[in-house]
Amino acid sequence: NAGVTQTPKFQVLKTGQSMTLQCAQDMNHNSMYWYRQDPGMGLRLIYYSASEGTTDKGEVPNGYNVSRLNKREFSLRLESAAPSQTSVYFCASSARDRGHNEQFFGPGTRLTVL
Amino acid sequence: QKEVEQNSGPLSVPEGAIASLNCTYSDRGSQSFFWYRQYSGKSPELIMSIYSNGDKEDGRFTAQLNKASQYVSLLIRDSQPSDSATYLCAVNRGYGNKLVFGAGTILRVKS
C-alpha cells in the first residue's frame, strides 16, 4: 500500500516549456487535490476533483490544467511554464467519509522554472 | 484577515516541556479541523483531526476545539527533539471539498 505517489520528484524547466505532474493513489479515495507550497504562504489549492469525472478550480488555478484520468490518477499540467510557478507541488487524496475531509499527501514535486 | 491564522514562530521549548500551538479561523460554518506536521523538505503528515468541541487525545498529542471562540489548539506533551517541525492547522468549511491551511508554526524542541 504505497498511499499517494507523485512523479517526478524534481524538475527544472525553462520558461515556456510544458510538463505534466503525475499523481496516483491506491487508497480507493474519491477526492484528489493539487496544492502548491511557497515559503511563508502555506499550502494553496490549485485544482481538485471531488470524484471521478469532475474537476474544479481552487484558489490559484491560472496557468494550470488538470485531468482526472480515473479514480486512481489525477494529473496537473503546466502548458507554458513561468518563473512564478517555481514551487513545491503536492498531490493529496481524501475519502471524504461522512463529510469529513482527512487528506493524505504525496511526497511532492520540486519544480524550478528558469 | 486570513481565513486561518497561526503564529509563525518559531516556538522554542525545552525537551520534556509542553508545546502549545494555536490556530484561529474566521468561518463560523467550519466543521472539521486538522493538524498536520511537516518536517523540512517533506510532505505534510496528518497527526490529529477533531470535529466536536472539547479535547481529543492521541498519545502525547491533544487537540482542543472551541467553536464559539473559533479556536483550535494542539498540545504536545513531553516534547522531544524529533517533534521539531512546522505544524499546519487546516479547516474544512462546512462539509465541502476544500481545506484551508494556515501558514504554519515552526516548533523547535531544544535538548
Side-chain angles (χ1 to χ4, degrees):
Chain A
N1 192 339
V4 180
T5 57
Q6 292 182 237
T7 55
K9 287 188 169 53
F10 301 93
Q11 184 71 49
V12 179
L13 293 177
K14 294 181 180 178
T15 297
Q17 288 185 317
S18 62
M19 78 162 295
T20 300
L21 282 65
Q22 305 287 354
C23 174
Q25 52 91 11
D26 62 2
M27 296 178 282
N28 200 35
H29 284 171
N30 291 317
S31 301
M32 298 185 73
Y33 307 82
W34 277 106
Y35 292 91
R36 61 178 289 174
Q37 187 174 37
D38 303 293
M41 300 198 69
L43 286 158
R44 292 184 292 169
L45 183 65
I46 304 171
Y47 270 95
Y48 68 100
S49 172
S51 60
E52 186 178 356
T54 69
T55 60
D56 282 289
K57 295 179 180 179
E59 181 186 354
V60 288
N62 291 345
Y64 305 95
N65 285 302
V66 290
S67 295
R68 184 74 183 266
L69 304 169
N70 48 55
K71 191 171 185 178
R72 290 188 62 248
E73 299 173 288
F74 188 38
S75 63
L76 178 72
R77 183 160 179 84
L78 286 70
E79 291 290 352
S80 178
S84 61
Q85 294 178 305
T86 293
S87 189
V88 181
Y89 291 85
F90 291 105
C91 177
S93 71
S94 169
R96 292 197 67 245
D97 186 30
R98 298 185 300 278
H100 300 313
N101 194 8
E102 295 182 343
Q103 294 186 14
F104 298 90
F105 285 79
T109 295
R110 292 186 175 273
L111 175 66
T112 301
V113 183
L114 303 175
Chain B
Q1 181 189 6
K2 291 182 182 178
E3 191 163 346
V4 179
E5 298 217 46
Q6 297 180 253
N7 189 322
S8 61
L11 173 66
S12 292
V13 299
E15 184 175 356
I18 296 175
S20 177
L21 304 162
N22 304 315
C23 173
T24 58
Y25 60 94
S26 60
D27 185 350
R28 285 195 172 275
S30 299
Q31 297 290 338
S32 308
F33 307 85
F34 307 92
W35 283 100
Y36 286 82
R37 177 176 62 199
Q38 187 174 25
Y39 292 115
S40 181
K42 302 296 186 182
S43 59
E45 174 192 6
L46 179 66
I47 54 172
M48 289 289 286
S49 56
I50 186 165
Y51 309 118
S52 54
N53 281 328
D55 294 359
K56 179 182 177 182
E57 187 174 320
D58 184 1
R60 295 186 296 112
F61 298 101
T62 300
Q64 298 174 318
L65 175 61
N66 183 326
K67 288 186 178 180
S69 300
Q70 296 175 243
Y71 177 94
V72 58
S73 64
L74 179 70
L75 301 178
I76 306 175
R77 289 182 300 282
D78 189 23
S79 295
Q80 301 297 309
S82 59
D83 294 324
S84 298
T86 298
Y87 288 80
L88 304 172
C89 172
V91 175
N92 197 40
R93 298 180 192 144
Y95 294 103
N97 291 299
K98 301 183 225 182
L99 291 185
V100 180
F101 285 82
T105 298
I106 298 170
L107 174 66
R108 294 184 181 148
V109 181
K110 298 180 178 179
S111 57

